[in-house]
């Protein structure tokens, strides 16, 4: 840890020396005539690298990723498969399904914030505010009013309209609603596999084969049922439809 800190300090000092020698200011901030603060490219890169450290948390908490991963995990558990599909496959599937379900939101963010900012038509703070609006609309659409009212009450800040809800109040309410919805979908997926387990267990009990694990017999039947009904397509369609697509 000590060597890492020394290395980071050396890189920072060398970059400052290079900036000083080349005449390029490392960290500059200018205020325009209208009072808008503009940051230098070096400072923007610093903010970007800092934002990358919390990017995984943002993907999990602010998108449909949470609901998708929980549903896929419950589905694998319901079938009775412990490591198939592997975690890497499930995470990759959840990531691309998240991109698919969030595509309309990403397009609005790109049109309202990213493209105008890259064309230098709006400052960075205005771009952040423009990017927040489509994301808030998506989160409000997926958040239950009971969960939202719960966190508004816990925050002890009166809210008259949805636009007055703080982003730090909306996020936990959204995540709570996502967990509840994911478990509801998982429960519905679990029922048919549970019925198969109960039928197989009853048959083994009637035949006196109590020492044989019902999972050994029911697993092939559950896999066969899942394949015959095109279970993956139904699951993906159900998840996508739960977001109003």
């Amino acid at each position: 840890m000590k060597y890492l800190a020394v290395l980071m300090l050396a890189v920072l000092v060398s970059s400052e020396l290079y900036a000083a020698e080349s005449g390029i200011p490392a960290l500059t901030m200018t205020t325009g005539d209208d009072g808008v603060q503009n940051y230098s490219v070096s400072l923007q890169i610093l903010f970007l690298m800092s934002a990358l450290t919390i990017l995984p948390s943002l993907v999990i908490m602010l998108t449909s990723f949470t609901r998708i991963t929980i549903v896929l995990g419950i589905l694998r558990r319901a079938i009775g498969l412990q490591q198939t599909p592997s975690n890497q496959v499930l995470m990759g599937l959840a990531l691309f399904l998240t991109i698919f379900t969030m595509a309309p939101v990403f397009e609005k963010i790109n049109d309202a914030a990213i493209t105008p900012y890259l064309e230098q038509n709006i400052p960075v703070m205005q771009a952040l505010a423009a990017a927040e609006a489509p994301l808030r609309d998506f989160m409000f659409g997926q958040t239950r009013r009971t969960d939202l009212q719960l966190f508004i009450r816990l925050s002890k800040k009166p809210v008259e309209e949805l636009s007055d809800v703080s982003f730090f109040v909306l996020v936990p309410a959204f995540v709570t609603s996502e967990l509840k919805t994911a478990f509801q979908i998982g429960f519905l997926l679990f029922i048919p596999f549970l019925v198969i387990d109960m039928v197989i267990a009853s048959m083994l009990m009637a035949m006196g084969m109590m020492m044989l694990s019902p999972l050994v017999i029911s697993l092939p039947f559950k896999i066969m049922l899942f394949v015959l009904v095109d279970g993956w397509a139904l699951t993906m369609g159900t998840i996508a439809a739960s977001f109003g697509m």
Side-chain angles (χ1 to χ4, degrees):
M1 195 67 181
K2 177 177 67 176
Y3 298 107
L4 180 60
V6 173
L7 179 61
M8 293 177 62
L9 181 61
V11 172
L12 181 60
V13 171
S14 61
S15 63
E16 292 287 348
L17 292 177
Y18 174 77
E21 292 176 358
S22 59
I24 301 176
L27 302 176
T28 59
M29 180 180 64
T30 58
T31 303
D33 297 335
D34 54 354
V36 177
Q37 294 179 342
N38 298 316
Y39 301 91
S40 67
V41 175
S42 300
L43 188 56
Q44 294 175 16
I45 294 176
L46 177 62
F47 288 157
L48 178 61
M49 296 302 296
S50 301
L52 289 178
T53 60
I54 62 173
L55 182 60
S57 299
L58 295 179
V59 172
I60 294 174
M61 296 291 102
L62 306 183
T63 65
S64 57
F65 187 80
T66 300
R67 183 188 305 184
I68 297 172
T69 52
I70 292 177
V71 171
L72 294 179
I74 293 177
L75 175 63
R76 184 175 66 177
R77 183 69 177 178
I79 297 176
L81 301 172
Q82 300 300 324
Q83 298 297 330
T84 305
S86 63
N87 292 330
Q88 292 82 355
V89 173
L90 288 185
M91 291 301 102
L93 180 59
L95 179 60
F96 280 95
L97 190 57
T98 299
I99 296 175
F100 173 76
T101 55
M102 296 291 296
V105 180
F106 292 154
E107 290 177 359
K108 293 179 181 179
I109 293 176
N110 180 68
D111 296 338
I114 298 178
T115 300
Y117 175 72
L118 294 178
E119 295 176 353
Q120 298 183 354
N121 294 328
I122 57 176
V124 59
M125 299 307 297
Q126 185 176 348
L128 291 176
E132 181 183 352
L135 194 58
R136 285 175 63 94
D137 293 339
F138 167 78
M139 296 171 68
F140 276 125
Q142 304 300 324
T143 304
R144 290 178 172 82
R145 292 295 175 261
T146 55
D147 297 329
L148 185 60
Q149 293 172 0
L150 170 64
F151 285 95
I152 291 176
R153 185 170 65 253
L154 293 176
S155 66
K156 299 180 180 180
K157 295 181 180 179
V159 174
E160 297 181 358
E161 299 180 356
L162 293 180
S163 57
D164 299 331
V165 178
S166 171
F167 198 72
F168 297 101
V169 174
L170 176 59
V171 171
F174 168 73
V175 174
T176 303
S177 295
E178 286 293 284
L179 292 174
K180 187 181 299 183
T181 303
F183 275 88
Q184 289 177 347
I185 298 175
F187 171 76
L188 296 177
L189 291 175
F190 217 107
I191 291 178
F193 301 107
L194 180 62
V195 172
I196 294 178
D197 287 333
M198 294 177 63
V199 171
I200 297 297
S202 300
M203 293 176 59
L204 292 178
M205 288 285 292
M207 297 171 62
M209 305 174 64
M210 293 177 292
M211 300 301 295
L212 182 61
S213 175
L215 181 61
V216 177
I217 307 299
S218 64
L219 181 58
F221 288 99
K222 290 191 289 187
I223 295 177
M224 181 181 64
L225 173 65
F226 192 69
V227 172
L228 290 178
V229 300
D230 199 5
W232 286 113
L234 289 176
T235 302
M236 298 299 105
T238 301
I239 295 176
S242 66
F243 292 100
M245 300 191 66

